Amino acid sequence: MIQFVVPAVPEFDGLFARFPDPVPTMFSLQMLFGKADRFYQLLEDSASEAHESVRLVIEMIKSPDSAKGLDELALTRRKEKKIAEQITAELVKTFVTGLEREDIEALSLALRKIPKTVEKLAERINLGHQHIEGVDFTRQIEILEQSTDVVLAMVKQLRDMRHLEKIHELNTKLQYLENEADKLMTDLLKELYSGRYNAIKAMVIRDLYELMEKAIDRCRDAGNVVMHIVLKNS
């Protein structure tokens, strides 16, 4: 641990009385960098809440007539908002950060948009659950779940940015998943336009498809921010 020791105050004749023997005041850089590490943990916590929100909405898709998932999602959103508030508060009172302030803010915002979009998806599932019976969302669920897995892994990699190839590999996978989601959306729209479903059911299903794709896009956006940070600091 690096320490800075304040030297003893000398005795001055006439102007000042003699000071007692001073106790050396030590300044620890470890304390400063401990503060910096706090941001890594908060960002990881935010990514974990985003991951948890996707897990909960997947449970809702599997059991759309249950309102329990919506309550749990609301709790997750409150946790995520609290984490965002902590990040803002820490930025105000901390002058040494492991990452640039604007990068911390950008990543925090990008991560916050994931559970926000997922919560909208859950609300629509709750409202239109009677219209999605028998609809197979398996592939969308897989892509969404994998996307949040990758985002969480990328955020954790920020603690050690020496492994650029690993982070680049994760980002490439995230871009691939987003492209797969786009292709899947096109195929699903073709099915909706075939006339197989009545108008209300088709509208509900399309709404859910679009929100799932948007949630995946939010994951891609968060991954892009992480990649930007890594490239800037490499």
Side-chain angles (χ1 to χ4, degrees), residues 30-44:
Q30 187 175 0
M31 292 175 64
L32 287 178
F33 292 116
K35 286 275 189 179
D37 288 343
R38 177 67 174 154
F39 290 105
Y40 292 117
Q41 186 60 57
L42 287 170
L43 290 170
E44 288 174 14

Side-chain angles (χ1 to χ4, degrees), residues 182-222:
D182 287 343
K183 293 177 184 177
L184 182 61
M185 184 66 181
T186 301
D187 294 337
L188 294 172
L189 287 176
K190 287 180 181 178
E191 183 179 358
L192 284 181
Y193 294 158
S194 68
R196 174 182 171 185
Y197 304 103
N198 65 53
I200 296 178
K201 190 178 182 73
M203 183 177 65
V204 171
I205 295 173
R206 175 173 178 170
D207 199 18
L208 296 181
Y209 284 165
E210 289 178 343
L211 282 170
M212 288 181 191
E213 184 185 28
K214 188 174 182 180
I216 294 167
D217 288 344
R218 297 302 192 194
C219 292
R220 175 209 58 199
D221 294 342

